[in-house]
Amino acid sequence: MSTLTKSLSGVTSLQRWGAGRPWLGSCVAAVLAWAATVFTGQGHGSGDLLTAALTFSAFTVLVSLGQMLVISVGPGNADLSIPSSIALSGAVAMIVMNGNNTMIVPGILAAVLVGATVGVFNFGLIRVLNIPPIIATLAGSLIVMSVAIYVGRGLKIKPPPLFSDFMAMRLLGVPLLAVVALVVTVGIAVMLERTVLGRSIEAVGQNDRAARLAGLRVEVTRFWAYVICAGLAGLTGALIAGFAGGNSLDQGQEYLLLTIAVVVIGGTAVSGGAPSVPGIWGAAMFMFLLVAMLNAAGAGPGLRTLLTGLIIIAVIVAASSPGKR
Amino acid sequence: MSPVLAKRGVHMLHTLLPAMALTLLLGAVFWRQPRAMSYFGINLLLDLAIPLMFATLAQMMILAVSDLDLSIGPFVSLVASIGATLLPTRPALAMLALAAAVAAYALAGAVIESRRLPSIVVTLGLSFVWLGCAVLLLPTPGGLAPGWLSSAMAYRTPWLPMPIWMALVAAVLGHALITRSAFGTLVRGLGGNPAAVARVGWSLVRVRAGVYALAGVFGVIAGLMLLGQTTSADPNIASRYTLVSIAAVILGGGKFVGGYVSPVGAVIGALTMTLAASFLTFLDIAPDWQVGMQGLILIVVLGLRAAIDRLERIA
């Protein structure tokens, strides 16, 4: 095997090395976008830019990890209820905390619990009523959004001061939020590599019939994917509310499409069974830095959105090869 | 009852389910507000469904080839933005822009087929492209629809209110295209068994490009009708159409894979989704629950369908 690799030309072996690492492209793209932004800004604030990118990417990473798990349990699985879960859990977290420093932990737990409940509800719709996941999570999201509107409208509770401080805190220059996201990322990576649930998620996504015949509990696996995803959305809802100085109903809106884009650009297979954890970070950073780069280059909002779209398509086309789906 | 008859009955129930849901909703509105049962009442209730029906037909074309279109909402918004800016002053340029947008749709279809890309990601990228173009054209909400378009959409149709005429036109058009035409058979074939379609000698790239182009044409119709109703546009005017149109197709009996779609069901689905949103105002229930009602109706109808499917298997 090693002689074979040696005999290949440099480019081919590089390609071969890259083929087993679907996350590589997004990380390279993120670094390029960062370099281009710093270059256009004549090197000013390259560190600040990185800090901002890490902070905002932390939210994206947290929700996208969940979306990755859901997409990985098989074709047709996706969670469209993330924005609603974020809206509702943000409101619930602020109500439970009620500006009180001692209630921070209960508030976060309540937000995660709200998210997880949405996940259980989603899965129930998929399983019991036999509704396709995309429609089930869409319908669930509409109902959850109504509850969020009912609970959260006109709510003007500030997060506890300590909670706001935590959200702005840095450890050795790295935003605490990014550290939290990193810990969760490592947790998910270990779960995928080392636990029965993680291995089942990949197996079920690759071939659910084979997984079932092999004795894996297919539906239990899917249940946990949906619950973990919604639970992470709940956690993110609480964190965003703390970061933004209060909850708002549309604080999760952008994550509907963003999570799907991040998961796919990060190299996770849309057909399921092949999650790519490092790619989530690469793609989340890339999506933030892409906007920063276009901003630095002086592009207005319209041009920025247009180019974002074209670049997403270009990345997907470049990552594909004819004849592979 | 003989088993055959039972089976046929269950199947009939399956087909009629979307229509029954719509009738039930309409019945509830008419029961609470008998005045709504008039030419103007129905116009008011279902006006918003007119553009949505055509957007739903666009989504249905894409679902028929087992793809998913996450860009139809922004596309309809873009069409409305083109209509509110270029169409009144430079009609030739506007036509060119609309043709280019449809061509871009077709290109997306061709790329999805030839590179075997997941449609969900390509259309996700496209949604940003459409939105970006719309914001470039119309940075702030505004613009003005050409007079002929506004007066056409305000036209008082004879005998029946316009939404009903439009529903009939959309249903007949969709049915003729998907269920009756040779192209429709090809489309459903591509959704169900692409290998078979390729083996007969068709170019899959061309067929998928054609499907996406047709979806674009339906999107153009939807955008212009929406603009005619609202008379001014906004780059986000139709962004919610993306998810609502998917829901409407599925509500009407379509499936995500296998080329199973029903144009008549899709039109009924669009009417039902519109009515589900406005129906609570007629029942004097707080508007907080309007979006939730759409979700609930989806769940009830699809839950019933799953139950009927189970019955069908037993029978």
Side-chain angles (χ1 to χ4, degrees):
Chain A
M1 182 69 202
S2 64
T3 49
L4 182 71
T5 317
K6 271 176 205 159
S7 68
L8 290 165
S9 73
V11 176
T12 326
S13 62
L14 194 68
Q15 273 179 349
R16 183 160 289 192
W17 186 77
R21 290 166 177 78
W23 44 268
L24 200 65
S26 64
C27 294
V28 171
V31 172
L32 286 179
W34 177 74
T37 319
V38 172
F39 178 73
T40 16
Q42 276 95 41
H44 291 305
S46 58
D48 286 346
L49 176 66
L50 211 55
T51 311
L54 282 171
T55 306
F56 284 98
S57 299
F59 298 127
T60 317
V61 164
L62 283 174
V63 272
S64 301
L65 284 170
Q67 186 73 279
M68 176 192 76
L69 294 180
V70 168
I71 287 180
S72 292
V73 292
N77 283 288
D79 187 353
L80 300 188
S81 71
I82 287 176
S84 303
S85 303
I86 291 180
L88 182 59
S89 63
V92 168
M94 288 303 105
I95 291 173
V96 172
M97 290 181 194
N98 201 14
N100 191 340
N101 279 342
T102 55
M103 293 301 282
I104 294 177
V105 174
I108 291 179
L109 287 179
V112 174
L113 196 69
V114 164
T117 311
V118 174
V120 172
F121 180 58
N122 282 338
F123 186 79
L125 290 179
I126 297 168
R127 188 74 196 115
V128 180
L129 295 185
N130 205 8
I131 300 177
I134 291 183
I135 291 294
T137 54
L138 169 61
S141 118
L142 293 169
I143 291 176
V144 172
M145 196 41 122
S146 265
V147 178
I149 294 173
Y150 180 73
V151 172
R153 198 183 32 198
L155 201 65
K156 284 199 182 68
I157 308 178
K158 288 227 174 299
L162 195 61
F163 191 40
S164 300
D165 292 346
F166 274 138
M167 293 298 102
M169 195 197 255
R170 293 191 199 175
L171 292 175
L172 306 170
V174 181
L176 182 66
L177 270 170
V179 177
V180 171
L182 192 66
V183 169
V184 175
T185 309
V186 171
I188 297 274
V190 170
M191 187 270 279
L192 280 172
E193 288 296 322
R194 294 267 176 263
T195 66
V196 175
L197 176 62
R199 302 317 293 167
S200 301
I201 285 177
E202 290 193 24
V204 168
Q206 280 161 18
N207 188 335
D208 60 349
R209 203 156 161 257
R212 190 168 284 131
L213 293 174
L216 295 180
R217 297 191 296 171
V218 173
E219 296 311 332
V220 174
T221 307
R222 291 203 166 124
F223 169 83
W224 282 112
Y226 278 92
V227 171
I228 294 173
C229 176
L232 283 173
L235 171 67
T236 313
L239 295 180
I240 293 179
F243 182 79
N247 72 299
S248 81
L249 287 173
D250 55 2
Q251 67 187 6
Q253 238 166 24
E254 59 176 311
Y255 294 108
L256 174 67
L257 298 183
L258 189 59
T259 51
I260 298 175
V262 163
V263 168
V264 178
I265 291 175
T268 295
V270 184
S271 51
S276 160
V277 177
I280 298 290
W281 272 95
M285 296 284 280
F286 171 63
M287 292 301 283
F288 179 85
L289 289 166
L290 178 62
V291 174
M293 177 183 82
L294 296 172
N295 251 337
L303 192 59
R304 212 161 58 210
T305 315
L306 170 60
L307 289 174
T308 307
L310 288 177
I311 291 171
I312 292 177
I313 297 176
V315 168
I316 293 303
V317 171
S320 73
S321 57
K324 201 180 82 182
R325 192 154 205 161
Chain B
M1 194 160 41
S2 77
V4 178
L5 268 181
K7 193 159 190 168
R8 199 171 288 167
V10 172
H11 185 73
M12 189 79 137
L13 207 61
H14 197 293
T15 317
L16 287 181
L17 190 63
M20 284 176 350
L22 179 63
T23 314
L24 211 66
L25 274 183
L26 268 178
V29 171
F30 291 156
W31 169 63
R32 288 298 302 241
Q33 300 279 352
R35 272 177 303 171
M37 212 179 345
S38 63
Y39 187 96
F40 284 108
I42 291 175
N43 233 338
L44 209 62
L45 267 176
L46 296 175
D47 219 17
L48 294 175
I50 296 176
L52 182 61
M53 283 173 213
F54 289 93
T56 302
L57 284 183
Q59 186 68 261
M60 184 199 71
M61 294 302 300
I62 309 284
L63 278 171
V65 292
S66 300
D67 280 354
L68 197 61
D69 185 0
L70 292 184
S71 80
I72 188 67
F75 183 77
V76 172
S77 309
L78 172 63
V79 171
S81 301
I82 292 175
T85 50
L86 299 178
L87 199 53
T89 49
R90 280 173 287 178
L93 186 63
M95 290 301 168
L96 205 65
L98 291 177
V102 171
Y105 238 115
L107 182 67
V111 170
I112 286 169
E113 180 63 49
S114 63
R115 308 284 300 198
R116 309 218 177 254
L117 295 172
S119 60
I120 184 165
V121 195
V122 176
T123 55
L124 182 73
L126 268 188
S127 74
F128 288 103
V129 172
W130 306 138
L131 178 63
C133 291
V135 172
L136 281 175
L137 270 173
L138 201 65
T140 51
L144 188 64
W148 55 268
L149 194 56
S150 326
S151 38
M153 292 310 291
Y155 177 66
R156 287 194 53 187
T157 46
W159 303 310
L160 293 170
M162 188 187 277
I164 303 209
W165 277 118
M166 285 294 186
L168 290 173
V169 169
V172 169
L173 193 69
H175 186 75
L177 190 68
I178 283 288
T179 320
R180 294 276 166 211
S181 79
F183 181 70
T185 311
L186 207 53
V187 170
R188 285 177 288 130
L190 183 58
N193 191 344
V197 176
R199 203 157 294 155
V200 182
W202 292 95
S203 154
L204 296 188
V205 175
R206 265 196 217 163
V207 179
R208 204 173 293 266
V211 168
Y212 275 73
L214 256 176
V217 170
F218 280 125
V220 167
I221 298 175
L224 292 179
M225 288 187 167
L226 178 63
L227 176 66
Q229 287 181 338
T230 57
T231 69
S232 73
D234 150 7
N236 286 309
I237 189 167
S239 43
R240 54 179 199 89
Y241 279 19
T242 302
L243 295 182
V244 178
S245 67
I246 298 174
V249 177
I250 303 297
L251 200 61
K255 298 214 166 99
F256 280 106
V257 285
Y260 297 100
V261 291
S262 154
V264 179
V267 171
I268 294 177
L271 288 167
T272 311
M273 288 305 283
T274 309
L275 203 57
S278 60
F279 146 92
L280 290 186
T281 5
F282 282 83
L283 299 190
D284 298 323
I285 298 175
D288 289 6
W289 301 101
Q290 271 185 15
V291 270
M293 197 64 201
Q294 284 189 321
L296 196 66
I297 284 171
L298 262 178
I299 292 172
V300 169
V301 172
L302 295 183
L304 279 175
R305 175 169 304 140
I308 293 172
D309 280 347
R310 250 166 239 168
L311 264 179
E312 204 163 8
R313 269 200 298 276
I314 296 165

